[in-house]
Amino acid sequence: MSMNGTNTRSASFWIQAWKRLLADPVARICGCILAIYLVVALLSATGLIAKGWNDEVGVSYANPVFAPNEPNPEGDTSLIREDASVTDDETKAIDPLAPKYEEIAKLERTNADKVTVLQRLLPLGGDKTGRDVLAKTIKAGQISIAIGLAASFIAVFIGVVLGAFSGYFGGKVNDALEWVYNVFTSVPYILLVLAFSAVLGKGVGTVILVLGMTGWTGTYRLIRSEYIKHRDRDYVQAANAIGASHLRMMFLHILPNVSHLILIQLSQEVISFIKAEVVLSFLGFGVPVDLISWGIMISDVRSELVIGKWWQLASCATAMSVFVVAFSFFTDSLRDALDPKSSRR
Amino acid sequence: MIPTLIGVVLLVFFLFKYFGGDPAAVLAGKQLTADKIAAIRAQLGLDQPVIVQLLIFVKQILTFDFGRSWSTNEVVSNMLVNRGKVSLTVMAQVWFLDAIISVLLAVIAAYLKGSLSERLITGICTAAMSISLLLYVVIGQYFLGFKWALFPVMGWSESFWVNVTRYSPLPVLLMLAVSIAPSLRLYRTFLIEELNQDYVRTARAKGAGDHRVMLVHVLRNAAIPIVTNIAMAIPGLFVGSFVIEQVFSIPGLGREVVLAVDRSDFPVIKAITVSLAMMTMLANLGVDLLYKWLDPRVQLK
């Protein structure tokens, strides 16, 4: 009886929230942007696009199509002329490879089908080893987003379970969990993350685990205070009176009533974990270097900037910033839609 | 407070003890011989029972003597003090300027409450705080330091004044660009929460002007959460910013942590983590005392 009542009310609540969300133009625009990112990330995860992100498809630092005139010794703007490198007797005398040139040319002719022509122009340019920046950005986005999502699921799961126990039972359980919470929050977050990654090593799985294990504290606090509010409400008392077990009351009765807050928390954590992953990878403790993420791209980019190759930074920065900014605005709208009474922070 | 500290010590101890791999293997490097490993284990006390090892660690903390770094053989406690000073040189400026600028801007935003410009300010803040610190640093260093040569690209010197006037302005500027947006947004919320209180209406009814209400009544009450936020940032000042110190080659504690994690230099990481936790406790205590002074209604337990 009470279950039915809860179900119909919460269904209408979600529909109302959905309508509020759709009515918000900011949410509509940001939602579309996020949907595009997710589709691209899924396509890249299934290998349909950006599969060859690690292949040499262009010349070193191939120019992007929007800046074809940037100087590039291996591109169309090269100042090195073919006729400048004629092999005469003098160069043959000092060039140890000179006797082999004819052989090389012959091999090149016979294996012409196997030789890949390196592109001099790529849609968003190329990096040092001639990789396509567009493919790199897509693959990096897929990995960064996947890490953010996975880590926030773990963190929110830990936070909800611990928060539920602490808030619902109170007393000794609460004291013990509050102690754990205080321990985790007394060390600055990024230092804690680094301490964990010092002992756990590197790798995508480790990054997810480290971020999840250290990032649950905010959710824990929020869920705990909600459970303290809810545990004495009539519907919980009623469930208790008909003999529902503690776990049933915690996770079947109270949890649906705080699920909107969990959703908000989840989307907030995704943003902070993506940012944390970028910093970790940049410092060299995140994604291993044979993989790619937005953080690794930014750390690659520093040496390129000095020689004037800005396009990798431009595409990576744009892709990352658009995603994170859209996600932040979407989270704000989501909070307004799901939790209209709360004030914006 | 004390239980939390015990918790941090236990967390750090067991984390490194059971997940950190064998220190002897890290220390012996490539020349692994059974004798050598046994010698190192004996020297570090690793052949003792776990409880004795824990007591050794506690003794290290109480005497502030964390032994020597595994990779540079430097005395860890000296290292903490020296590197901490460097981080503080940069971070104290950031902390001070951030507090002043964001409180000022928050007051202005609170004046503009409900107007279009206020929505604009919060919107810009959301966007600004979403963008990764890394981008500010990499792009800022490239344009301000390298391309336009307004500041030195990176570096650090022995002299405090040279550091303050020459090497720290660019890092400070970039850190402010990152830190002001979130503080401003938070302080604005505190101010607006206070603006909705009854006493504001009373003050207005008595004929107090806008400025008097904002600066005397509202700001004073909103000062409590603001001061908490500012004071709780103090422990973090000693580690500095990992990214900033790495990118600008500032030899502070943050860069030391990164180096230590890279080299699996466990004594250094342990020492820094525990010291930071201790400083956080002290900051907490300080904030509680400050509360009492700011708001006489607060009762200390």
Side-chain angles (χ1 to χ4, degrees):
Chain A
M1 183 62 188
S2 84
M3 278 300 292
N4 283 339
T6 321
N7 275 343
T8 36
R9 209 190 65 203
S10 69
S12 75
F13 165 79
W14 288 104
I15 290 169
Q16 274 177 16
W18 178 244
K19 279 184 183 152
R20 276 197 291 266
L21 196 63
L22 282 185
D24 185 350
V26 177
R28 281 205 303 268
I29 296 168
C30 293
C32 289
I33 296 173
L34 294 183
I36 294 170
Y37 270 88
L38 282 182
V39 169
V40 170
L42 281 177
L43 287 178
S44 144
T46 49
L48 289 172
I49 52 170
K51 202 178 176 190
W53 65 273
N54 210 5
D55 299 339
E56 185 182 2
V57 292
V59 296
S60 181
Y61 298 120
N63 285 353
V65 283
F66 48 84
N69 298 324
E70 291 279 322
N72 184 344
E74 294 180 33
D76 291 331
T77 51
S78 178
L79 295 177
I80 305 168
R81 295 277 156 258
E82 289 283 330
D83 54 320
S85 57
V86 203
T87 43
D88 51 16
D89 291 341
E90 205 175 318
T91 47
K92 269 183 189 165
I94 51 167
D95 187 349
L97 275 179
K100 304 251 179 203
Y101 279 156
E102 272 182 30
E103 203 182 320
I104 293 170
K106 210 178 119 194
L107 276 174
E108 204 171 26
R109 273 195 303 278
T110 49
N111 292 315
D113 52 326
K114 288 180 192 158
V115 177
T116 42
V117 183
L118 294 183
Q119 302 288 319
R120 290 179 168 189
L121 277 184
L122 286 170
L124 295 179
D127 71 354
K128 190 181 175 191
T129 53
R131 293 184 289 182
D132 184 3
V133 167
L134 176 64
K136 265 181 96 178
T137 312
I138 292 174
K139 192 72 189 171
Q142 177 219 323
I143 291 174
S144 292
I145 294 171
I147 290 178
L149 285 175
S152 74
F153 274 114
I154 294 179
V156 168
F157 179 77
I158 299 176
V160 167
V161 171
L162 296 185
F165 273 94
S166 171
Y168 180 83
F169 288 111
K172 288 246 164 54
V173 179
N174 175 51
D175 290 346
L177 288 170
E178 279 294 281
W179 176 68
V180 177
Y181 168 83
N182 282 330
V183 169
F184 270 80
T185 48
S186 65
V187 183
Y189 176 65
I190 194 85
L191 185 60
L192 194 66
V193 170
L194 282 181
F196 268 79
S197 55
V199 292
L200 294 178
K202 293 172 192 176
V204 175
T206 319
V207 181
I208 295 174
L209 210 63
V210 165
L211 291 175
M213 272 160 57
T214 49
W216 53 270
T217 46
T219 314
Y220 162 79
R221 254 297 149 99
L222 180 81
I223 295 300
R224 174 178 166 272
S225 69
E226 286 300 312
Y227 268 73
I228 291 175
K229 256 195 286 180
H230 278 271
R231 69 175 176 210
D232 296 324
R233 295 234 171 126
D234 289 343
Y235 73 95
V236 183
Q237 303 277 331
N240 190 21
I242 57 170
S245 69
H246 286 309
L247 283 178
R248 199 181 166 79
M249 285 189 282
M250 277 159 73
F251 294 110
L252 281 178
H253 293 263
I254 304 182
L255 195 67
N257 286 303
V258 297
S259 51
H260 62 292
L261 297 173
I262 296 174
L263 194 64
I264 298 169
Q265 202 66 26
L266 208 56
S267 81
Q268 265 176 345
E269 297 292 348
V270 173
I271 302 169
S272 73
F273 287 144
I274 285 181
K275 285 163 79 179
E277 182 275 322
V278 167
V279 169
L280 269 185
S281 297
F282 179 81
L283 293 176
F285 308 116
V287 176
V289 277
D290 53 344
L291 245 123
I292 189 86
S293 83
W294 283 333
I296 292 189
M297 284 181 84
I298 298 180
S299 75
D300 283 352
V301 125
R302 286 182 63 213
S303 56
E304 295 183 5
L305 276 180
V306 184
I307 53 170
K309 311 293 177 191
W310 47 268
W311 39 85
Q312 182 165 202
L313 175 67
S315 40
C316 167
T318 315
M320 189 169 101
S321 305
V322 168
F323 179 75
V324 179
V325 170
F327 213 130
S328 304
F329 279 115
F330 186 76
T331 304
D332 276 353
S333 301
L334 193 68
R335 186 187 305 123
D336 288 350
L338 288 174
D339 195 9
K341 276 183 279 183
S342 80
S343 67
R344 267 193 185 197
R345 286 225 157 159
Chain B
M1 213 172 115
I2 299 296
T4 312
L5 199 55
I6 294 172
V8 173
V9 172
L10 289 177
L11 175 73
V12 169
F13 179 77
F14 285 108
L15 189 65
F16 282 83
K17 172 92 187 116
Y18 290 105
F19 296 98
D22 190 354
V26 176
L27 269 175
K30 283 177 184 145
Q31 281 96 40
L32 277 176
T33 58
D35 286 353
K36 216 166 182 176
I37 291 181
I40 292 168
R41 293 182 72 88
Q43 195 189 344
L44 293 175
L46 290 176
D47 47 355
Q48 312 272 348
V50 176
I51 185 77
V52 178
Q53 291 182 38
L54 179 62
L55 287 178
I56 295 176
F57 185 45
V58 172
K59 193 184 149 221
Q60 285 183 335
I61 295 164
L62 292 178
T63 53
F64 200 63
D65 173 16
F66 295 96
R68 286 171 182 272
S69 154
W70 288 353
S71 49
T72 60
N73 210 25
E74 211 177 333
V75 176
V76 175
S77 37
N78 287 351
M79 205 161 158
L80 286 188
V81 174
N82 293 337
R83 307 290 197 278
K85 267 189 226 158
V86 173
S87 290
L88 202 59
T89 313
V90 178
M91 296 305 288
Q93 301 179 55
V94 175
W95 178 75
F96 183 71
L97 291 171
D98 173 72
I100 292 181
I101 297 172
S102 39
V103 169
L104 254 174
L105 291 178
V107 170
I108 294 172
Y111 267 121
L112 298 169
K113 188 185 148 200
S115 71
L116 185 67
S117 20
E118 194 244 3
R119 284 200 63 163
L120 209 63
I121 292 177
T122 43
I124 292 171
C125 281
T126 312
M129 62 199 265
S130 314
I131 295 169
S132 171
L133 161 76
L134 270 183
L135 289 181
Y136 285 99
V137 173
V138 170
I139 295 173
Q141 188 189 34
Y142 175 64
F143 280 107
L144 299 172
F146 179 72
K147 200 125 199 206
W148 301 331
L150 298 175
F151 300 94
V153 174
M154 58 171 75
W156 201 251
S157 80
E158 293 290 310
S159 142
F160 176 74
W161 282 113
V162 174
N163 287 335
V164 171
T165 52
R166 200 174 139 68
Y167 291 116
S168 62
L170 183 57
V172 169
L173 196 73
L174 294 175
M175 293 236 28
L176 283 177
V178 181
S179 70
I180 285 181
S183 327
L184 163 57
R185 248 182 91 133
L186 188 64
Y187 300 162
R188 180 192 140 269
T189 330
F190 294 151
L191 285 169
I192 286 182
E193 265 165 28
E194 289 300 326
L195 270 177
N196 295 332
Q197 299 286 331
D198 287 341
Y199 70 82
V200 173
R201 205 182 323 123
T202 315
R204 289 238 166 85
K206 286 197 315 187
D210 266 355
H211 299 305
R212 197 180 156 76
V213 169
M214 181 64 81
L215 299 178
V216 177
H217 297 269
V218 170
L219 196 56
R220 198 162 166 202
N221 281 288
I224 295 169
I226 293 178
V227 165
T228 315
N229 198 52
I230 294 173
M232 288 314 294
I234 292 178
L237 303 184
F238 292 91
V239 273
S241 157
F242 299 91
V243 171
I244 287 274
E245 294 189 356
Q246 188 78 354
V247 170
F248 287 96
S249 297
I250 297 170
L253 218 47
R255 207 169 73 119
E256 206 55 54
V257 175
V258 173
L259 286 175
V261 174
D262 209 28
R263 298 165 175 159
S264 302
D265 198 343
F266 292 169
V268 178
I269 310 171
K270 279 180 180 171
I272 293 176
T273 315
V274 172
S275 327
L276 252 296
M278 283 200 275
M279 265 184 255
T280 311
M281 315 280 139
L282 287 180
N284 268 326
L285 185 68
V287 168
D288 283 348
L289 296 176
L290 211 61
Y291 268 176
K292 180 93 186 119
W293 177 70
L294 275 172
D295 187 350
R297 290 168 300 182
V298 170
Q299 292 288 320
L300 289 182
K301 267 192 268 180

